[in-house]
Amino acid sequence: MDYNKKLVLTLLVLSLFIVSCHSKHKLADKDIVSTPENMDDKVSDGIKDALQFSVDNNGKIDDSTSLKMSSAVNNFYTNNNDEDVWSHEEKWKPLTDSLFDFIQNAELSGLFPNDYHLQQFTSLKKRLDADSVQRTDAVSWTRADLMLTDAFMHIVKDLKLGRIPNDSISLNKDSAVNDDFYATQLKTLLDKNQLSSQLASLEPNNPHYWQLRNCIPKFLDSMDKRVYTYVSYPFKSGSEKDSLAFIDNLKQRLKESNCVDSAAEDLFDSTQLKNAIKHYQKKKGIKQDGLVSASLIRSLNNTDVEKFKRIAITLDRYKHLPDAMPERYIWVNLPAYDLKVWDHDTIALESRVVCGKPTTRTPLLTSAITNMVTYPTWTVPTSIIVKQYLPKLKLNPNYLSKLGLHLVDKHHETVDATRVNWKKYTRGIPYQIMQGSGDDNALGVFKFNFNNKYAVYLHDTNERGFFKKDVRSLSHGCVRVQEWEKLAFYIARNDSANLKPNERLSYNVDTILNLLARKEKKTIFVKNRLPLFIRYYGCEGNDDSTIKFYDDMYGEDAFIRTKYFSNN
């Protein structure tokens, strides 16, 4: 035998050896056990083999079943002698029915039943319950046990942490949630046999979370569960493939709403598309312009199934908050265009707000009010200078004076803008652009400062008519507060009410009123810094068990939906 033939034979033998190693622990198709008394031992052997196989196969225990919590599942069984949990001698334990019932009704908790092996387990359970021969198969019981343990641990994870990864503003980063945590949860369940209360204890202890959560049953009662084609928008510019896919999805979605003329289905040129859009707009009672727009796509995607995903996303966002919120704090919910001051679970004041445009979004952040400024000056952010002012200054050096702005150098000296060679600047300028204090200042007559890396703040405005609009994403990124005066007075009273014995405060409500009356620029330092949360919550529960949905103006929910909930 020559060298090449020996090499081929060696590689063949080696490959067969590797395949056999990787498949020797894979669940068999069937393993019949003669007596029920021997079933548990057989299932235990099957669990051990299947988990060993799963380690090298990304959680797979056979060709059709994957464990999503494979590491935690493996850890639990390894430390419990691979004993089966959910059945005993060919009979289900009572806890199995409790868990199965929870999975079937997981939507009540803002979860998706099919995330927890519902279809596979339902089919398997029916066979085991109905067929005496099937009940003698150890492989079926093994598969059921692993799926149920995996499902329980996955539910624990989703209720405790949510499905959205922590971001830079998340405060609830629980490092104790590891494989041992999930094992402890299952052991507690087996000891106490209290599934519902145990799972509920994992959810946020936040009244606003529970108010939304408790509205789900009423929503589900009238929910249209038909799944419509989801239209992703905007699509990748310049990509013919993406644009064609967009048109196909749009056509299909319009067809599902009975807005496509059956005689025009095959042609469906731009005229037919426009007519179909107009038909849809007429049915919805919105402006019939026949144009593709972000608002049209949002309307098309605003189905009950998609609304439920927004409920799930919002519930998950609550899971990123601290376990206990401060006694007093400011809550700004951008999609609601709303600011609330919460004082011991009571709304102390509420105000309309104007937030950033979709192109200049207000950032999500956690901070605290450090000081307040009467009759503030405005220093124009670099981003606005580069995007808006610089191109116009190159055409007209007098542009700033027309806006009531002036140029200041690093020595705080005023610079004549007409003497600057604006054409040599592209990414920024070595000056500050400022607006003096006054009633016409862009910040109005009052500003609330808080530490953040985005150079944003809460403030009054000289464009108070914006508060009358329904859509109020109109600013450069800061949050304009309609009831700024009430907020300032609340902060002052909070500082006054929390003084120590013999402690004096340098300001009060009268101080603020006098400064405003004199139109005096003054920085007032806040003693008891009021926590501030700027968040993006797409819906909230009402007292009548209905849910109010807000416009996803930044597309944050759509992004999360596509990345983490597209398969639900």
Side-chain angles (χ1 to χ4, degrees):
M1 184 181 295
D2 60 27
Y3 174 78
N4 289 335
K5 290 182 178 179
K6 287 183 179 179
L7 179 61
V8 170
L9 182 60
T10 301
L11 291 174
L12 179 61
V13 171
L14 181 61
S15 65
L16 290 172
F17 173 75
I18 292 173
V19 170
S20 66
C21 286
H22 278 272
S23 61
K24 67 179 181 179
H25 300 302
K26 178 180 175 181
L27 278 177
D29 292 334
K30 189 174 290 188
D31 186 2
I32 301 300
V33 178
S34 57
T35 61
E37 291 77 13
N38 295 327
M39 179 60 75
D40 288 353
D41 289 337
K42 272 291 187 180
V43 170
S44 179
D45 291 340
I47 288 172
K48 182 177 182 179
D49 287 349
L51 289 175
Q52 287 179 358
F53 179 82
S54 74
V55 171
D56 297 324
N57 291 274
N58 299 315
K60 287 187 175 182
I61 57 174
D62 58 30
D63 293 335
S64 61
T65 310
S66 292
L67 304 179
K68 297 179 182 179
M69 303 289 292
S70 59
S71 177
V73 172
N74 201 355
N75 174 65
F76 171 79
Y77 281 108
T78 299
N79 291 313
N80 289 273
N81 300 316
D82 299 307
E83 291 181 3
D84 48 339
V85 175
W86 305 97
S87 65
H88 175 62
E89 295 183 356
E90 300 181 12
K91 293 181 180 179
W92 300 112
K93 293 181 180 179
L95 267 177
T96 299
D97 290 332
S98 299
L99 181 58
F100 184 45
D101 182 67
F102 182 91
I103 294 172
Q104 289 177 303
N105 296 283
E107 289 173 325
L108 293 171
S109 303
L111 305 178
F112 299 89
N114 286 328
D115 284 348
Y116 313 110
H117 306 291
L118 176 64
Q119 292 182 347
Q120 279 183 289
F121 181 72
T122 299
S123 175
L124 180 57
K125 188 175 186 301
K126 284 181 179 178
R127 294 198 303 271
L128 287 168
D129 289 346
D131 189 338
S132 59
V133 176
Q134 184 78 33
R135 284 198 294 273
T136 64
D137 178 22
V139 173
S140 294
W141 292 105
T142 299
R143 185 180 287 109
D145 215 77
L146 290 170
M147 282 196 292
L148 287 169
T149 298
D150 186 59
F152 172 77
M153 291 183 174
H154 194 187
I155 289 168
V156 168
K157 172 183 173 295
D158 288 348
L159 289 177
K160 174 76 173 173
L161 302 177
R163 290 140 292 193
I164 306 171
N166 284 333
D167 52 35
S168 59
I169 63 165
S170 299
L171 299 179
N172 188 9
K173 298 179 173 67
D174 194 341
S175 60
V177 180
N178 52 28
D179 286 352
D180 289 338
F181 172 81
Y182 296 110
T184 299
Q185 286 294 317
L186 183 49
K187 289 176 184 176
T188 300
L189 176 65
L190 298 175
D191 289 341
K192 297 185 176 181
N193 196 24
Q194 298 291 328
L195 179 69
S196 297
S197 59
Q198 183 177 336
L199 293 180
S201 71
L202 297 169
E203 299 181 71
N205 185 25
N206 185 308
H208 313 302
Y209 169 90
W210 282 100
Q211 185 169 30
L212 175 60
R213 166 93 147 66
N214 291 335
C215 291
I216 293 177
K218 185 174 182 178
F219 177 84
L220 293 174
D221 283 345
S222 59
M223 179 180 176
D224 178 1
K225 293 197 173 186
R226 286 177 293 180
V227 178
Y228 295 90
T229 300
Y230 186 83
V231 185
S232 295
Y233 185 84
F235 51 86
K236 190 181 296 183
S237 179
S239 170
E240 183 179 356
K241 179 181 178 181
D242 284 354
S243 63
L244 289 174
F246 169 78
I247 294 297
D248 286 343
N249 286 338
L250 177 57
K251 174 185 173 182
Q252 180 61 29
R253 179 64 186 86
L254 291 167
K255 182 179 178 182
E256 290 164 357
S257 291
N258 299 315
C259 295
V260 177
D261 184 353
S262 58
E265 276 193 42
D266 294 332
L267 298 175
F268 211 71
D269 57 18
S270 58
T271 300
Q272 275 82 36
L273 176 60
K274 190 168 186 176
N275 289 337
I277 292 173
K278 283 184 176 181
H279 189 180
Y280 175 81
Q281 291 170 329
K282 182 178 181 180
K283 290 177 68 173
K284 292 296 180 180
I286 55 182
K287 184 180 178 182
Q288 299 172 47
D289 56 16
L291 300 177
V292 174
S293 64
S295 60
L296 170 72
I297 303 305
R298 283 198 296 270
S299 178
L300 288 166
N301 288 335
N302 193 33
T303 64
D304 282 354
V305 170
E306 294 301 326
K307 282 180 180 178
F308 183 79
K309 291 179 184 179
R310 296 191 72 194
I311 294 170
I313 289 167
T314 302
L315 290 174
D316 275 8
R317 286 189 169 127
Y318 277 109
K319 294 164 189 174
H320 291 179
L321 291 174
D323 290 334
M325 296 292 283
E327 289 183 351
R328 301 174 185 85
Y329 62 93
I330 302 172
W331 180 267
V332 177
N333 186 16
L334 298 177
Y337 303 119
D338 182 68
L339 175 150
K340 291 184 176 77
V341 174
W342 286 95
D343 190 331
H344 293 82
D345 294 328
T346 300
I347 299 177
L349 70 90
E350 187 170 6
S351 175
R352 288 187 165 209
V353 300
V354 171
C355 62
K357 304 171 186 175
T359 53
T360 55
R361 300 181 180 188
T362 296
L364 308 183
L365 55 83
T366 302
S367 190
I369 304 297
T370 56
N371 64 73
M372 306 180 289
V373 183
T374 57
Y375 276 86
T377 57
W378 180 43
T379 302
V380 182
T382 301
S383 59
I384 297 177
I385 293 173
V386 173
K387 293 178 181 178
Q388 296 185 35
Y389 290 178
L390 190 54
K392 293 179 180 178
L393 282 166
K394 290 178 180 180
L395 298 174
N396 179 13
N398 289 312
Y399 174 71
L400 294 180
S401 61
K402 291 182 178 181
L403 299 178
L405 304 173
H406 59 277
L407 206 62
V408 178
D409 63 17
K410 63 181 180 180
H411 303 294
H412 304 290
E413 298 290 336
T414 300
V415 176
D416 185 351
T418 63
R419 295 180 177 272
V420 176
N421 180 11
W422 295 107
K423 293 183 178 178
K424 69 178 183 179
Y425 300 117
T426 55
R427 297 184 179 179
I429 61 174
Y431 308 103
Q432 287 185 325
I433 295 177
M434 301 188 68
Q435 183 181 35
S437 62
D439 295 320
D440 293 330
N441 187 279
L443 305 183
V445 300
F446 210 89
K447 178 175 73 162
F448 304 84
N449 284 321
F450 47 89
N451 295 327
N452 69 95
K453 63 183 179 180
Y454 306 101
V456 298
Y457 23 81
L458 308 181
H459 63 85
D460 175 29
T461 178
N462 62 342
E463 297 178 299
R464 297 182 180 91
F466 283 179
F467 292 118
K468 297 178 182 179
K469 296 178 178 292
D470 292 329
V471 177
R472 297 192 293 278
S473 47
L474 302 165
S475 79
H476 293 297
C478 289
V479 177
R480 306 174 187 180
V481 183
Q482 184 175 29
E483 302 293 347
W484 60 269
E485 193 172 41
K486 291 181 180 179
L487 179 58
F489 293 168
Y490 175 86
I491 292 173
R493 292 189 185 105
N494 184 54
D495 270 359
S496 298
N498 289 280
L499 291 175
K500 296 178 182 178
N502 300 320
E503 187 179 18
R504 299 186 65 182
L505 193 65
S506 61
Y507 81 103
N508 55 31
V509 170
D510 289 339
T511 307
I512 295 173
L513 287 170
N514 290 332
L515 289 169
L516 292 171
R518 296 196 302 267
K519 298 187 177 183
E520 180 179 340
K521 182 179 184 293
K522 179 76 172 179
T523 299
I524 302 169
F525 292 96
V526 176
K527 182 178 183 298
N528 297 290
R529 296 184 174 185
L530 192 61
L532 167 68
F533 298 84
I534 299 180
R535 292 296 191 271
Y536 195 98
Y537 283 46
C539 59
E540 65 179 319
N542 295 319
D543 291 337
D544 62 356
S545 296
T546 60
I547 299 174
K548 185 171 185 178
F549 292 88
Y550 300 112
D551 184 28
D552 185 18
M553 77 278 199
Y554 291 170
E556 292 281 345
D557 284 357
F559 173 79
I560 294 295
R561 177 258 177 223
T562 300
K563 189 165 185 179
Y564 299 106
F565 295 84
S566 59
N567 293 326
N568 295 118

